Amino acid sequence: MKEQLNAIKAQAEAELAKSDALDALEALRIKYLGKKGELTAIMKGMGKLPPEQRPVIGQLANEVRTSIESLLEQKKQTLSSLEKERRLAAEAIDINLPGKRPVLGKKHPLTTVLDDLKDIFIGMGFSIEEGPEVELDYYNFEALNIPKDHPARDTQDTFYIDENVVLRTQTSPVQVRVMEKQKPPIRVIAPGKVFRSDTVDATHSPVFHQIEGLVVDKGITMADLKGTLEVFVKKLYGDDTRLRFRPHHFPFTEPSAEVDISCFGCGGKGCRICKGEGWIEILGCGMVHPKVLKNCDIDPDIYSGFAFGIGLERITMFRYGIDDLRLFFENDIGFLKQF
């Protein structure tokens, strides 16, 4: 039995020396020291030895167990240290390398220009008003002097929810709502999304944006309208910009006008941007029709006012030299990154 114990010790030392993993080390512990291990089996058989041999063999068995346990602990510490070093090497972070910056979004070009327009008009004392995009026929048409049989409805064909509810074709209904709840003096702009049954192409879309303005007070004249628009376009396009008013017709203003500005590309000489004309159409405007004032319980004999409407997409296309309106709505990252 003494030879067996020495053989077990030598075999255990050899196998422990070759072991290179913690799970393999645990398997060796079970092999030699477990309940069914080789050393345990020998110690269980000591009862068959003569009484005088038992102390000697028992002492030797304890020495072998202690030796194997010591070797196991040393090997475990060595392998644990190696495993820790491997993990540290694998998980090391080079703090000298730059971090990965998250991709940050930017304002859409329409939002950028709209914010600029808001700043300009707020600087002139205007406030900002909003209204529903799904609008009553009364506010979208009738209150604006466009009855059901008026031919102007043909040019503003819209999306009907039912006979009396539509997707608004302009933000003018916001002006009516403001005049109903607020008496003069009134000075507001109404930016927002509008809808018309247009075929999609480079210059048309069934969804687009408008900024409409309204001023109502005593003694308001066409000169006030012209002065306001001059301040607006000069702040937007520069002090050298000139305005040109052309007679037009809008059911809700009288007199009405289309407004052109001198081409910001050529200064009025004629170029590709203005198609050789030297002028670019920018908005429509006019003096608020007396009937519209009456519809809102404002006495046209006491008060007068002016209104104007600006297409946000048109202004933005002019600013950035964009030639296709559809680009604003396609969510093309390559296009948006330019801004």
Side-chain angles (χ1 to χ4, degrees), residues 206-258:
V207 182
F208 57 101
H209 299 79
Q210 279 190 339
I211 304 97
E212 298 204 11
L214 172 71
V215 172
V216 179
D217 203 351
K218 294 178 180 179
I220 298 296
T221 68
M222 199 79 173
D224 298 305
L225 169 61
K226 186 174 184 293
T228 299
L229 295 180
E230 279 188 338
V231 171
F232 160 64
V233 299
K234 288 180 184 295
K235 284 185 175 292
L236 195 63
Y237 293 112
D239 291 338
D240 295 332
T241 307
R242 292 171 289 122
L243 269 70
R244 181 178 73 175
F245 284 67
R246 290 180 288 106
H248 196 70
H249 172 263
F250 298 113
F252 34 82
T253 54
E254 180 59 40
S256 304
E258 292 278 12

Side-chain angles (χ1 to χ4, degrees), residues 38-59:
E38 295 182 14
L39 184 59
T40 304
I42 290 177
M43 295 182 73
K44 286 181 179 179
M46 288 179 58
K48 300 177 182 179
L49 293 174
E52 65 274 9
Q53 292 184 10
R54 292 175 188 172
V56 177
I57 298 301
Q59 182 179 355

Side-chain angles (χ1 to χ4, degrees), residues 290-309:
K291 191 169 183 180
V292 175
L293 294 174
K294 286 181 180 179
N295 289 338
C296 300
D297 291 329
I298 296 176
D299 190 343
D301 293 328
I302 300 175
Y303 296 100
S304 58
F306 64 77
F308 55 86

Side-chain angles (χ1 to χ4, degrees), residues 46-233:
M46 288 179 58
K48 300 177 182 179
L49 293 174
E52 65 274 9
Q53 292 184 10
R54 292 175 188 172
V56 177
I57 298 301
Q59 182 179 355
L60 180 58
N62 286 332
E63 290 175 356
V64 172
R65 173 180 283 277
T66 301
S67 176
I68 293 175
E69 288 177 343
S70 177
L71 289 173
L72 281 167
E73 183 61 29
Q74 291 176 14
K75 193 68 174 181
K76 182 178 180 181
Q77 291 180 4
T78 301
L79 292 177
S80 295
S81 297
L82 291 174
E83 177 65 20
K84 184 177 181 180
E85 290 176 4
R86 282 196 293 267
R87 286 182 59 191
L88 288 173
E91 299 173 4
I93 299 175
D94 187 349
I95 61 173
N96 295 312
L97 291 175
K100 293 182 179 179
R101 292 186 177 181
V103 178
L104 298 178
K106 298 180 180 179
K107 284 185 179 180
H108 193 280
L110 291 176
T111 304
T112 299
V113 175
L114 177 58
D115 287 346
D116 290 344
L117 296 183
K118 288 179 179 178
D119 288 342
I120 291 172
F121 284 109
I122 288 173
M124 289 191 283
F126 285 72
S127 60
I128 298 172
E129 294 287 342
E130 295 181 346
E133 294 177 3
V134 180
E135 187 58 275
L136 294 174
D137 180 274
Y138 171 77
Y139 286 104
N140 196 77
F141 292 121
E142 294 185 32
L144 293 167
N145 198 30
I146 310 176
K148 291 188 181 297
D149 59 351
H150 199 288
R153 290 205 181 200
D154 293 338
T155 62
Q156 293 194 34
D157 191 18
T158 187
F159 300 96
Y160 284 81
I161 306 303
D162 59 37
E163 185 179 352
N164 294 310
V165 180
V166 300
L167 298 184
R168 67 183 181 187
T169 63
Q170 54 207 354
T171 56
S172 301
V174 180
Q175 300 178 14
V176 177
R177 291 178 177 273
V178 169
M179 286 189 285
E180 282 185 342
K181 68 181 181 181
Q182 176 185 336
K183 297 310 174 185
I186 297 170
R187 190 179 297 156
V188 299
I189 59 169
K193 191 183 299 179
V194 299
F195 309 84
R196 295 185 188 178
S197 185
D198 282 337
T199 302
V200 177
D201 60 28
T203 57
H204 296 85
S205 170
V207 182
F208 57 101
H209 299 79
Q210 279 190 339
I211 304 97
E212 298 204 11
L214 172 71
V215 172
V216 179
D217 203 351
K218 294 178 180 179
I220 298 296
T221 68
M222 199 79 173
D224 298 305
L225 169 61
K226 186 174 184 293
T228 299
L229 295 180
E230 279 188 338
V231 171
F232 160 64
V233 299

